[in-house]
Amino acid sequence: MNRVRLAIAAGLAAAILATSGIVAQADPAAVEKAREELARIHQEASAIDQQLIEAHERVQLAEAKLKTLTADLQVQEAKVATLADQMGDVATLQMQQDSISVTAQLLASGSSDNFLSGLATYQSELERSNAGVQQLQLDQAKLNTLREDAAATEAALQKDVAAKTELAKSYDAKEVAAQRVYDRLSAEERERLARIEEERQRAAEEAQRQAEARAAAAAGTSRSRDTAAASSSAAASSSAPAAETAVSSGPASSRAQGAVNAALAKVGSRYVWGTSGPSTFDCSGLTSYAYRQVGITLSRSSRAQYSGAGYRVPLSDIKPGDLVFYYSPVSHVAMYIGNGRIVHAANPRTGVNTAGLHSMPITGVRRVVG
């Protein structure tokens, strides 16, 4: 919505110049209705966006699988064709031998040694032939399975490609609907809407800063108590072996800050569905890219990150580098950068930018490292 906010500011300035200081009254009911509609549209668009990202990921996986299956099919088809040719030669030889009694041929060999030797050779060839037939049957069955798998993968791929197209249309429709809501507001009503949103975010950010300050103070008090208790214990049992000290979280915090720096370096980059850098991103693509720069691999969708990245932490304990998830069910992810702010790949209109932590309804927070 940043583009719209810029338009609001520009429209307001134009209105002031045009009216020479005459300001019309904004309709509070109209503004509130618009705010509710925009919040609903934004959430619906975010859900569609997430479905689009997941469909894109399925398409990529299906394309890679189909490529592998196609290569395996070519190898298996060549193998079956070669084995079939070999078995054809064996069958021809057997037909030729069957035209005259094999036993009669062997009896006419002139000696018992020749007879036994010939019989052993014939039995060996017969066994080899039977084994070849069995192998051909197995290879043909594998070939059929590969063909069925390839056909199913192709069908799923086409289905997801069609889904991507429809989801993109739905997303664009939501963007058009949001713009219509703004278009029906006067310049004064747009100004009031922007002011309400700014005040709401300022209040939420201030509350968040106070919560973080309280958490930091509580942590400092707890460390002081632990230090005092440890000193008392050490004085009481100086002859006892020293207890193992806790490992510092410094390196982990450094990695989290490294991820924050990587994400902030991409502010201004374009939002493109299904991409995770280095120049374009979707929401989960940005967070996965940022942590990839510090050697940590994350899943490629916000829902998967919410269910499997790191561990959950309370909002009151949020730290830079934590992943913040929005809406229910989860359909958007951002990275906390401190001071009540996030960095995220917002949408195709505004790309990668920073915003208030509470700019959208928060579902949960996960700490990847630290």
Side-chain angles (χ1 to χ4, degrees), residues 325-336:
F325 299 89
Y326 295 93
Y327 301 114
S328 181
V330 168
S331 59
H332 190 69
V333 61
M335 182 180 293
Y336 187 62

Side-chain angles (χ1 to χ4, degrees), residues 106-164:
L106 292 174
L107 289 172
S109 59
S111 71
S112 60
D113 289 341
N114 290 339
F115 173 80
L116 293 174
S117 176
L119 181 61
T121 299
Y122 178 75
Q123 289 176 333
S124 175
E125 288 298 317
L126 184 61
E127 291 172 357
R128 187 172 69 85
S129 174
N130 290 337
V133 170
Q134 292 177 351
Q135 185 61 49
L136 178 59
Q137 291 173 336
L138 290 173
D139 286 340
Q140 185 64 52
K142 182 178 179 180
L143 178 59
N144 292 339
T145 299
L146 284 171
R147 285 172 174 164
E148 291 172 0
D149 197 1
T153 301
E154 175 69 24
L157 173 61
Q158 295 305 320
K159 181 179 179 180
D160 281 327
V161 168
K164 276 179 60 180

Side-chain angles (χ1 to χ4, degrees), residues 22-366:
I22 299 175
V23 179
Q25 291 294 320
D27 181 355
V31 172
E32 179 59 24
K33 182 179 179 181
R35 189 190 66 78
E36 292 174 355
E37 285 186 83
L38 288 169
R40 174 183 56 79
I41 292 171
H42 192 189
Q43 180 170 359
E44 291 171 354
S46 181
I48 293 171
D49 189 32
Q50 178 62 28
Q51 294 174 47
L52 191 53
I53 291 170
E54 292 174 349
H56 183 84
E57 186 176 16
R58 289 195 301 271
V59 166
Q60 287 186 314
L61 292 173
E63 286 175 341
K65 182 179 179 180
L66 192 58
K67 183 178 180 180
T68 300
L69 284 172
T70 300
D72 291 345
L73 266 173
Q74 292 174 347
V75 171
Q76 191 66 17
E77 285 173 346
K79 184 178 180 181
V80 168
T82 300
L83 189 54
D85 289 342
Q86 292 174 351
M87 293 310 300
D89 293 340
V90 172
T92 300
L93 177 62
Q94 287 181 336
M95 288 177 63
Q96 291 173 348
Q97 290 178 337
D98 288 342
S99 63
I100 304 173
S101 170
V102 173
T103 303
Q105 293 181 54
L106 292 174
L107 289 172
S109 59
S111 71
S112 60
D113 289 341
N114 290 339
F115 173 80
L116 293 174
S117 176
L119 181 61
T121 299
Y122 178 75
Q123 289 176 333
S124 175
E125 288 298 317
L126 184 61
E127 291 172 357
R128 187 172 69 85
S129 174
N130 290 337
V133 170
Q134 292 177 351
Q135 185 61 49
L136 178 59
Q137 291 173 336
L138 290 173
D139 286 340
Q140 185 64 52
K142 182 178 179 180
L143 178 59
N144 292 339
T145 299
L146 284 171
R147 285 172 174 164
E148 291 172 0
D149 197 1
T153 301
E154 175 69 24
L157 173 61
Q158 295 305 320
K159 181 179 179 180
D160 281 327
V161 168
K164 276 179 60 180
T165 301
E166 291 305 312
L167 286 167
K169 291 179 181 178
S170 297
Y171 188 89
D172 290 341
K174 293 297 179 184
E175 293 292 295
V176 171
Q179 190 60 52
R180 285 175 180 167
V181 172
Y182 277 100
D183 289 344
R184 72 172 184 247
L185 296 175
S186 68
E188 291 73 22
E189 288 168 340
R190 294 177 185 179
E191 179 192 13
R192 180 183 177 90
L193 180 63
R195 190 165 58 248
I196 289 172
E197 177 61 19
E198 289 171 359
E199 290 173 354
R200 186 189 69 80
Q201 288 199 40
R202 274 199 300 269
E205 289 167 13
E206 179 57 30
Q208 184 62 41
R209 279 192 288 269
Q210 291 178 6
E212 291 177 29
R214 287 194 298 271
T221 301
S222 177
R223 283 194 296 271
S224 297
R225 290 174 178 171
D226 291 344
T227 301
S231 299
S232 176
S233 176
S237 55
S238 58
S239 60
E244 184 177 351
T245 58
V247 178
S248 170
S249 60
S253 298
S254 296
R255 295 177 80 185
Q257 187 60 51
V260 169
N261 295 342
L264 286 173
K266 296 303 178 180
V267 168
S269 298
R270 290 192 305 121
Y271 182 109
V272 176
W273 297 307
T275 60
S276 57
S279 57
T280 63
F281 305 86
D282 57 38
C283 66
S284 52
L286 177 66
T287 53
S288 63
Y289 167 85
Y291 269 103
R292 196 161 63 243
Q293 306 316 299
V294 293
I296 297 174
T297 301
L298 298 182
S299 302
R300 269 293 290 116
S301 76
S302 59
R303 291 173 185 168
Q305 290 180 9
Y306 181 64
S307 62
Y311 56 95
R312 295 194 67 173
V313 295
L315 183 60
S316 59
D317 188 36
I318 195 169
K319 295 179 180 178
D322 289 350
L323 301 183
V324 188
F325 299 89
Y326 295 93
Y327 301 114
S328 181
V330 168
S331 59
H332 190 69
V333 61
M335 182 180 293
Y336 187 62
I337 59 176
N339 295 320
R341 305 288 292 174
I342 57 170
V343 59
H344 65 152
N347 51 53
R349 300 184 310 279
T350 58
V352 179
N353 60 32
T354 60
L357 172 64
H358 295 275
S359 56
M360 297 163 283
I362 297 174
T363 296
V365 179
R366 295 190 74 90

